[in-house]
Amino acid sequence: MGNEGSISNEQNCELAGEWVATRHSEWKNRNIGSHSMRARMPHTKMTYGSDGNGEGWVGDVYVHVSATTLAPGQFEARARIKALLWQANDGNLTTLHDGTLEVRYPSNGILEYWKRKAGSAVPIPVAHPVPSGPLRPIKLMFRRVDSLGITWHWAICIGDSIYETGGSMAVIGPRGVVHASSPLVTSKVAQTGTRPEQFDGYVDRGWTSAQTDAEVEQFCTEWVNRHPMYDVRGPNCQTFAEDLFIRLTGQNLEFSKFADLKRGPEASANAVWLNPSKKPF
């Protein structure tokens, strides 16, 4: 749900059209009210324009959404309920194989499923630019933040280049700050750039991408402009890592975020530890 009237760079968003609730019993949130009951209300419907902006009733609340395409069938989103002064800026929208739209806002524990309204036209898929570089391996890097091993910092490594974001909402790459929403970025890493030894471990599942550092840094700049404020619940370092991963691979990360209240990549059997003393168990 983003800022009402927000400017979008989308022109032919695949979400355009009318959507109605489905898989009602699976709807969840951590806010007031039964989300599965909202899904069952007959007037629950979202309508998206070709610019990625949508609005409609979700049960008893009227929601505005601003979605941005990350990859075919994959979107980030910002949501707002003006009447309640509520917003969530860490949305992940995924078109599943059967055409169902899965909507997640981890910061609020929101999970929704939508299907196109019968008769609603399906937009013609837009051709996306083909990455121009050689294939490079991708790793999900992680670092322990607290002594209990509850909170973990994430970053994405493509080839030898690592990209991460921090509390000042600045994306930092191998050569230092790529883009920041504030000039007050003074950490040593911001000056020297990211390095593998700054992390405790990583997961490598054979992911690859042909995107160049220049293409990645363009995405990072646009991402910070859409998410100027860091929120420990999201958008945060994990939101950024998954959004960049989606842009690079066209798929979601398979790991839960901190806001999902579940273990993440640090609990994976595929985790490779650079600093074994940081293992949570």
Side-chain angles (χ1 to χ4, degrees):
M1 310 165 205
N3 295 330
E4 186 177 0
S6 62
I7 297 174
S8 172
N9 292 324
E10 297 281 318
Q11 295 181 348
N12 296 286
C13 183
E14 298 170 33
L15 293 174
E18 295 180 301
W19 296 79
V20 294
T22 188
R23 297 170 59 171
H24 307 143
S25 63
E26 298 177 58
W27 280 44
K28 301 175 183 177
N29 77 9
R30 291 196 294 266
N31 300 315
I32 297 174
S34 169
H35 220 44
S36 60
M37 185 175 294
R38 291 188 177 107
R40 291 183 172 90
M41 292 183 179
H43 59 273
T44 292
K45 182 181 73 172
M46 291 294 300
T47 302
Y48 288 88
S50 59
D51 60 357
N53 291 324
E55 59 183 274
W57 286 100
V58 179
D60 54 343
V61 292
Y62 197 82
V63 178
H64 289 84
V65 177
S66 180
T68 300
T69 301
L70 298 175
Q74 299 275 5
F75 314 86
E76 63 168 54
R78 296 157 306 283
R80 185 184 182 196
I81 301 174
K82 185 177 180 181
L84 301 179
L85 302 179
W86 176 92
Q87 63 181 6
N89 299 309
D90 63 333
N92 175 289
L93 280 58
T94 302
T95 304
L96 306 180
H97 294 303
D98 64 355
T100 301
L101 181 67
E102 180 188 74
V103 174
R104 295 186 294 131
Y105 289 88
S107 60
N108 286 258
I110 291 174
L111 175 63
E112 302 171 351
Y113 294 97
W114 299 80
K115 64 181 180 180
R116 286 193 178 275
K117 183 179 180 182
S120 180
V122 179
I124 298 174
V126 177
H128 293 266
V130 177
S132 58
L135 281 177
R136 295 188 289 168
I138 297 171
K139 299 175 184 175
L140 173 60
M141 313 293 294
F142 54 83
R143 179 172 65 243
R144 186 167 170 170
V145 174
D146 64 276
S147 60
L148 298 176
I150 297 173
T151 309
W152 295 79
H153 177 73
W154 292 4
I156 294 295
C157 178
I158 175 169
D160 296 323
S161 301
I162 299 175
Y163 295 91
E164 64 179 346
T165 190
S168 56
M169 204 48 101
V171 172
I172 302 170
R175 291 175 292 278
V177 175
V178 175
H179 192 65
S181 60
S182 167
L184 304 177
V185 184
T186 58
S187 69
K188 181 179 179 180
V189 174
Q191 307 302 319
T192 62
T194 52
R195 300 289 184 272
E197 56 268 23
Q198 296 161 355
F199 296 87
D200 296 327
Y202 64 87
V203 173
D204 181 356
R205 296 294 303 275
W207 307 302
T208 60
S209 176
Q211 291 205 24
T212 64
D213 280 354
E215 290 167 327
V216 170
E217 291 178 6
Q218 177 62 36
F219 169 81
C220 294
T221 298
E222 295 169 354
W223 192 91
V224 171
N225 289 339
R226 292 192 299 269
H227 304 86
M229 298 295 293
Y230 187 96
D231 187 327
V232 67
R233 302 174 306 159
N236 53 29
C237 63
Q238 297 181 356
T239 314
F240 167 76
E242 181 166 52
D243 286 354
L244 176 55
F245 182 84
I246 292 170
R247 173 56 64 92
L248 294 173
T249 68
Q251 59 183 303
N252 289 321
L253 278 168
E254 60 195 74
F255 304 108
S256 298
K257 299 186 179 77
F258 168 73
D260 293 316
L261 307 180
K262 298 178 182 178
R263 288 288 188 184
E266 74 283 357
S268 171
N270 298 296
V272 176
W273 289 91
L274 304 174
N275 186 352
S277 68
K278 297 297 184 178
K279 286 185 178 182
F281 39 76

